[in-house]
Amino acid sequence: MNKILLVDDERSWLNSFKRMLAQWEIAPYEDILTAESTREAMLLLAEHPVSAVFLDLNMGNESGREALHLIKDSHPQTAVIIMTGMSSIQAAVYCIRHGADNYLLKTSPPEEVVLCCRQIAAMQEIVKENTAFKQTLLNKKAIPAEFSAFITASEKMYSIFKYIAAIADSSQSILITGESGVGKGVLAGIAAELSRRGRPFKSLNVAGLDTHMFSDTLFGHVKGAFTGADTVRDGIITQAGDGVVFLDEIGELPLSTQLKLLYIAQDGQYQQLGSDRTLYSRARFIFATNQNLDEKVRRGEFRKDLYYRLNTYHIQIPPLRERPEDIHALLEHFVGAACKESGRRPPELSGSLISLLHDYPFPGNVRELRAMVYGAIALCGGDILTAGDFRPFIREDPNNADAFIDRVSGDSLPTVDQVIEQLIGKAMSLTGNSQKKAAALIGMSQSTISRKLRGQ
């Protein structure tokens, strides 16, 4: 929520209600404005972005109904909650018909006021998200500069970038899935910067954490919570404040720990170890996993209610083999970075190397390509980086033509005819069945390739 405005002619009520809203973490104390007249309220609305106004119906000589009309006419997107000391069905009906978003008594319990605020915040988020989606669709080429950290030439990734930009202003959680090494952590950092720019970013890899370690690290503990708890410890949720908390590998959490995560993901509630005081987080949560959560839910290994809560905004990053257009860009980027670290001039990239990498499935995705490049640069002694420099780092696939050529079965080697057949077949595949290009790629005459393909 933006700022909140309280309008009432009773200063004592303004002060007590302001303290209550701040204690229940509806908004920071300094973001809750107060006005004792309609005129003062309109001036504050003109100067500050206000999400909601709590308006008294009876303010001495002033009419709360007139104030309601003024506010909704000049600030239609601002929610107005009527707060009155007297219950009147007629007044409630009138106010709702003329734009009020809710009608509460001043004696309403704090929980009812909190629920009202959360409902209004959720509705305003939906409106904001719809507007952002429309703007993104209209401005198809606009991708925030923050995404430059993610090296790509893939339209699939550009679509993901636009989606993240569209949901940046939401407070709902984000779930990022994809195989190991595709860049989930990089994308989470970019999403966090777009969402809560300049605010704290706290990350935690939860794989291998038992329930106690998970709770202590995430929620923190009070003094005396357990043996050795000599001081208060703030968990990363408290440290994050209104920033972002990134939890990686959430698919590894045991069921007993998932329940603790459900409460914080559901409504922001959590308790420090050793305390019965309920706290509310203002942080946005980003989750990531390389596991298939749908399958884990079916097997009973992941809570269905937690999965649905995490899945508000789901981003699936495609593996590198499904975006081959990224291989060349990533290769040049990693070669440049590796050479800069070693203080050498970047070598040229041979055509055979590009062909080899485009044919390789990259089970380890971008992380594997980076490791390959750094290893190959260490081995390469010339001015050209070739397929041979990369072969020590290629995971052998028995169905791959390179593996066939390199493989020795017992004491036997493939025959020359077998090698030529496989080599021509691969060259034709890489060049889109162009005999001319295939001949140039493997150093063989086009007529020889044509004859071999006819079985002569």
Side-chain angles (χ1 to χ4, degrees), residues 168-223:
D169 289 336
S170 173
S171 63
Q172 299 298 311
S173 62
I174 299 174
L175 174 63
I176 304 175
T177 58
E179 295 179 6
S180 179
V182 294
K184 296 187 293 294
V186 175
L187 207 59
I190 296 171
E193 180 62 19
L194 284 174
S195 180
R196 305 287 172 93
R197 192 182 307 277
R199 299 179 218 178
F201 175 73
K202 298 295 179 180
S203 63
L204 175 66
N205 188 319
V206 303
L209 296 181
D210 60 26
T211 301
H212 177 79
M213 283 297 298
F214 174 84
S215 301
D216 194 24
T217 307
L218 192 63
F219 307 135
H221 63 251
V222 298
K223 184 177 180 180

Side-chain angles (χ1 to χ4, degrees), residues 251-399:
E252 303 284 349
L253 283 176
L255 284 169
S256 58
T257 308
Q258 291 173 26
L259 181 61
K260 291 182 175 290
L261 185 58
L262 173 64
Y263 296 139
I264 185 69
Q266 187 165 284
D267 51 20
Q269 293 186 22
Y270 69 101
Q271 292 178 334
Q272 293 182 304
L273 292 180
S275 173
D276 57 3
R277 180 190 174 199
T278 299
L279 302 176
Y280 288 88
S281 170
R282 291 180 288 118
R284 186 175 195 182
F285 283 79
I286 301 177
F287 306 95
T289 181
N290 60 9
Q291 305 260 340
N292 186 331
L293 294 186
D294 281 308
E295 184 60 33
K296 289 181 75 73
V297 168
R298 282 194 290 271
R299 294 199 303 262
E301 297 172 359
F302 200 87
R303 293 181 63 98
K304 185 183 297 185
D305 49 3
L306 176 58
Y307 175 58
Y308 291 150
R309 191 65 189 87
L310 302 186
N311 210 21
T312 305
Y313 297 123
H314 185 184
I315 297 166
Q316 172 75 26
I317 304 179
L320 186 56
R321 62 182 172 275
E322 293 181 9
R323 41 190 175 101
E325 61 271 34
D326 282 354
I327 292 175
H328 201 150
L330 287 164
L331 178 62
E332 290 184 335
H333 173 74
F334 290 139
V335 166
C339 290
K340 185 177 181 180
E341 289 183 17
S342 58
R344 59 173 292 183
R345 182 180 178 181
E348 294 183 16
L349 307 177
S350 69
S352 63
L353 170 59
I354 303 299
S355 298
L356 172 69
L357 296 183
H358 270 270
D359 195 51
Y360 183 63
F362 284 102
N365 291 290
V366 179
R367 187 181 296 128
E368 182 179 13
L369 175 57
R370 182 183 184 279
M372 281 182 177
V373 169
Y374 274 76
I377 290 295
L379 294 178
C380 176
D383 295 327
I384 300 178
L385 198 59
T386 68
D389 296 315
F390 274 71
R391 287 194 182 280
F393 310 101
I394 294 288
R395 302 189 200 183
E396 185 174 311
D397 179 353
N399 296 317

Side-chain angles (χ1 to χ4, degrees), residues 401-402 404-406 413-429 438-439 441-456:
D402 291 302
F404 174 85
I405 294 170
D406 290 340
L413 288 169
T415 67
V416 172
D417 287 340
Q418 288 176 318
V419 171
I420 292 175
E421 180 183 347
Q422 290 290 326
L423 189 60
I424 291 175
K426 177 166 182 165
M428 291 291 288
S429 174
L441 183 63
I442 62 178
M444 184 179 289
S445 69
Q446 185 176 347
S447 60
T448 300
I449 287 183
S450 179
R451 191 174 65 254
K452 289 291 185 184
L453 290 173
R454 293 197 303 270
Q456 296 178 359

